[in-house]
């Protein structure tokens, strides 16, 4: 029987990855790379596409490697314990803007982004796989998943809500602000990841396939529940990826910057942070919701319907700062659906892992959970890449210009964003926050009807 301390420890793992590193990478990186770091929209789109091709190889290999790990800490925990510090350091480096010129900065961005994706894989695939070996009780798996999502969304809320205030407190240039934020949040993420590895326990011993074989990959492709669940996972991350990656552009170009309501500053991180706390609350009630409706699949489908309806509704809200409270309300209602389905996805991956073990006779838990991480990175980064491409096509252009610093007399590189068609850009941003996610929610519903495990 797992203790409360262990459940909290497990929650810290996704508080670090889902609540800090991935949240900042999803919501701040597209805007950071194009408007602060100095990449063009084409460079930013290419960076994220190349990283996804990289992940197609590294994620399943990491899953297979994790399944075969043997140490005094167990099979999956050593990756969290030993990977925590490099994980935080690389994340911090990625938010630093070096003075290297256009080519040097491009090389720096590509190098550290790929390193970050590799390190995220090395930590997060084993972390997800832990769920398959901590307990064999289905109800307890749901509880662990619920704690995981509450941890991720609670820390995500803190991260996003504090973002503008931390920037304001740091002061200086935006490049300096992001560098300090990277160092602070990188250290917190490293500490939480280490704590997760130390506080959790592996109670079940995987049925290992000690020798590497490509048969396990062939078995995976033949696993129908895995195929459908992975496609569902991709859709959920496209749904979130579009909304988070375009939120910064929405406030900058559609709403003319931050909105002040009384003494409360609403910028894009706070706006999405309100959704985070909603996800946290309803994620905690996800096991109860599942029991009421009768199955994980039904609960997931009803959640996707909620997301579909309110995403479409957001599109019809007039694009005006005066409608901020209405926008917040619709984001909250959309987040109810996201909060319900988020814990279910990882619990369902555990079901697929159990199904694969029964069918094939050996455990492929790490390999199966790696597909969840791959779907997360694929959906998040491809959506960010598509946003960069679509906004560029709509008329948003980013370029670097050389200016003379009036205080030092030295040449400095400054990122300048110009708009060739403001109405086209605004409409594209609004659709990327509403209609594109709605399409993803519709695809989830179709795939859930075809998903064969109904427990």
């Amino acid at each position: 029987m797992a203790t409360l301390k262990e459940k909290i420890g497990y929650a810290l793992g996704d508080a670090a990855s889902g609540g800090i590193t991935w949240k900042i990478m999803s919501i701040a990186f597209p805007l950071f790379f194009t408007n602060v770091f100095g990449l063009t929209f084409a460079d930013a789109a290419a960076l994220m596409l190349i990283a996804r091709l990289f992940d197609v190889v590294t994620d399943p290999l990491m899953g297979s490697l994790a399944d075969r790990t043997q140490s005094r800490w167990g099979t999956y925990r050593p990756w969290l314990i030993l990977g925590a510090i490099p994980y935080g350091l690389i994340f911090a480096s990625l938010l630093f803007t070096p003075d290297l010129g256009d080519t040097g900065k491009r090389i720096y961005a590509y190098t550290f982004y790929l390193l970050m994706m590799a390190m995220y894989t090395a930590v997060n695939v084993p972390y997800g796989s832990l769920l398959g070996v901590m307990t064999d009780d289905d109800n307890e798996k749901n509880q662990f998943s619920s704690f995981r999502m509450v941890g991720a969304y609670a820390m995500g809320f803190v991260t996003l809500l504090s973002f503008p205030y931390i920037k304001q407190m740091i002061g200086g240039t935006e490049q300096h602000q992001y560098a300090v934020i990277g160092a602070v949040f990188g250290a917190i993420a490293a500490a939480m990841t280490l704590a997760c590895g130390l506080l959790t326990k592996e109670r079940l011993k995987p049925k290992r396939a000690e020798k590497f074989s490509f048969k396990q990959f062939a078995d995976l492709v033949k696993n129908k529940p895995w195929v459908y669940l992975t496609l569902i996972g991709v859709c959920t991350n496209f749904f979130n990826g579009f909304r988070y990656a375009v939120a910064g552009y929405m406030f900058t170009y559609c709403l003319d910057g931050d909105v002040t309501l009384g003494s409360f500053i609403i910028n894009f991180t706070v706006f999405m942070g309100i959704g985070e706390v909603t996800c946290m609350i309803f994620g905690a009630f996800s096991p109860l919701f599942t029991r009421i409706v009768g199955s994980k699949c039904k609960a997931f489908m009803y959640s996707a319907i909620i997301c579909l309806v309110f995403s479409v509704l957001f599109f019809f809200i007039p694009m005006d700062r005066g409608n901020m409270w209405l926008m917040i309300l619709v984001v909250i209602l959309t987040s109810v659906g996201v909060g319900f389905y988020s814990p279910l996805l990882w619990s369902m991956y555990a079901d697929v892992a159990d199904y694969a073990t029964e069918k094939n006779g050996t455990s492929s838990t790490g390999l199966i959970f790696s597909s969840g991480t791959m779907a997360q990175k694929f959906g998040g980064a491809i959506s960010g890449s598509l946003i960069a491409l679509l906004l560029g096509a709509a008329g948003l252009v980013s370029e670097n210009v050389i200016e003379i610093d009036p205080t030092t007399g030295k040449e400095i590189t400054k990122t300048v964003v110009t708009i060739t068609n403001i109405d086209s850009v605004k409409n594209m941003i609004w659709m990327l926050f509403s209609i594109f996610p709605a399409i993803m929610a519709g695809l989830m519903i179709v795939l859930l009807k075809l998903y064969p495990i109904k427990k």
Side-chain angles (χ1 to χ4, degrees):
M1 186 76 175
T3 63
L4 178 61
K5 182 176 76 172
E6 187 177 1
K7 291 172 184 175
I8 293 172
Y10 188 65
L12 289 175
D14 214 15
S17 59
I20 296 178
T21 57
W22 192 256
K23 200 63 64 185
I24 293 175
M25 289 170 71
S26 297
I27 195 168
F29 271 25
L31 195 66
F32 167 73
F33 277 133
T34 57
N35 289 34
V36 179
F37 189 89
L39 294 183
T40 65
F41 281 92
D43 278 336
L47 169 61
M48 295 176 187
L49 284 171
I50 290 170
R52 296 297 62 75
L53 295 175
F54 181 68
D55 290 336
V56 167
V57 177
T58 59
D59 282 41
L61 286 178
M62 183 64 229
S64 182
L65 178 61
D67 283 335
R68 287 160 178 76
T69 301
Q70 297 185 59
S71 76
R72 64 190 180 93
W73 293 306
T75 299
Y76 304 114
R77 290 172 59 233
W79 293 94
L80 281 75
I81 294 169
L82 299 177
I85 292 176
Y87 182 53
L89 287 174
I90 292 171
F91 175 76
S93 300
L94 194 50
L95 282 168
F96 175 74
T97 303
D99 186 15
L100 297 174
D102 288 352
T103 302
K105 286 167 71 175
R106 191 180 296 119
I107 293 171
Y108 182 94
Y110 275 66
T111 300
F112 277 95
Y113 195 81
L114 290 174
L115 281 173
M116 185 62 206
M117 290 298 96
M119 203 64 232
Y120 188 91
T121 296
V123 168
N124 213 248
V125 169
Y127 168 71
S129 304
L130 264 177
L131 185 60
V133 295
M134 288 192 296
T135 180
D136 58 358
D137 181 80
D138 200 52
N139 184 54
E140 207 164 42
K141 286 178 184 177
N142 286 345
Q143 290 176 25
F144 270 113
S145 290
S146 184
F147 267 82
R148 171 182 183 166
M149 289 299 104
V150 170
Y153 285 125
M155 194 62 214
F157 174 69
V158 172
T159 301
L160 298 181
L161 185 67
S162 64
F163 209 86
Y165 298 98
I166 293 175
K167 287 180 67 179
Q168 193 177 64
M169 183 177 64
I170 294 167
T173 65
E174 279 201 289
Q175 291 181 348
H176 174 67
Q177 291 168 4
Y178 275 97
V180 175
I181 285 171
V184 171
F185 280 113
I188 295 170
M192 286 181 167
T193 302
L194 180 61
C196 176
L198 294 174
L199 292 174
T200 50
K201 295 180 182 178
E202 297 187 22
R203 292 177 175 81
L204 308 177
K205 190 174 178 62
K207 298 178 182 178
R208 303 178 189 277
E210 299 295 347
K211 294 182 179 179
F212 179 84
S213 170
F214 284 103
K215 181 180 181 298
Q216 62 188 321
F217 296 99
D219 289 339
L220 197 63
V221 175
K222 295 175 185 176
N223 186 329
K224 188 180 289 187
W226 173 83
V227 172
Y228 284 119
L229 191 59
T230 298
L231 291 174
I232 291 165
V234 169
C235 289
T236 65
N237 287 290
F238 266 106
F239 180 88
N240 289 323
F242 281 125
R243 295 167 72 245
Y244 279 96
V246 82
Y249 295 106
M250 185 172 73
F251 269 77
T252 301
Y253 300 108
C254 298
L255 302 175
D256 300 320
D258 299 352
V259 179
T260 302
L261 300 174
S263 59
F264 197 44
I265 301 172
I266 305 289
N267 79 336
F268 68 101
T269 60
V270 174
F271 184 70
M272 298 307 292
I274 293 169
E276 290 289 302
V277 75
T278 306
C279 290
M280 177 190 70
I281 293 168
F282 285 89
F285 288 104
S286 182
L288 175 61
F289 179 61
T290 302
R291 287 196 296 273
I292 290 171
V293 301
S295 75
K296 297 176 189 178
C297 193
K298 282 183 181 179
F300 207 133
M301 189 174 298
Y302 294 149
S303 303
I305 291 170
I306 292 171
C307 293
L308 171 63
V309 170
F310 288 106
S311 293
V312 172
L313 182 61
F314 190 95
F315 177 75
F316 293 100
I317 299 175
M319 200 183 300
D320 187 274
R321 293 162 65 91
N323 295 315
M324 179 52 62
W325 283 119
L326 180 57
M327 294 178 202
I328 290 173
L329 174 62
V330 174
V331 164
I332 288 172
L333 293 171
T334 306
S335 299
V336 170
V338 179
F340 277 145
Y341 77 57
S342 294
L344 292 171
L345 182 67
W346 297 103
S347 182
M348 289 161 75
Y349 270 117
D351 296 337
V352 172
D354 292 342
Y355 171 87
T357 300
E358 291 175 11
K359 184 178 179 181
N360 302 319
T362 57
S363 174
S364 54
T365 302
L367 183 59
I368 286 170
F369 272 90
S370 74
S371 60
T373 305
M374 185 172 67
Q376 180 185 35
K377 291 192 289 185
F378 184 86
I382 295 296
S383 57
S385 179
L386 284 173
I387 285 170
L389 288 172
L390 290 170
L391 291 182
L396 201 60
V397 180
S398 175
E399 60 182 348
N400 292 328
V401 296
I402 297 176
E403 295 183 354
I404 302 297
D405 188 331
T407 57
T408 64
K410 294 182 180 180
E411 289 186 349
I412 58 172
T413 302
K414 186 177 180 180
T415 303
V416 176
V417 178
T418 57
I419 301 174
T420 60
N421 189 330
I422 186 62
D423 289 335
S424 175
V425 169
K426 285 184 175 181
N427 288 332
M428 179 59 72
I429 290 170
W430 213 249
M431 289 179 65
L432 283 165
F433 194 84
S434 56
I435 299 301
F436 281 66
I439 293 169
M440 293 300 110
L443 287 173
M444 285 184 231
I445 294 167
V446 173
L447 290 165
L448 284 160
K449 286 183 175 293
L450 299 172
Y451 179 69
I453 300 177
K454 303 300 183 183
K455 62 191 294 188

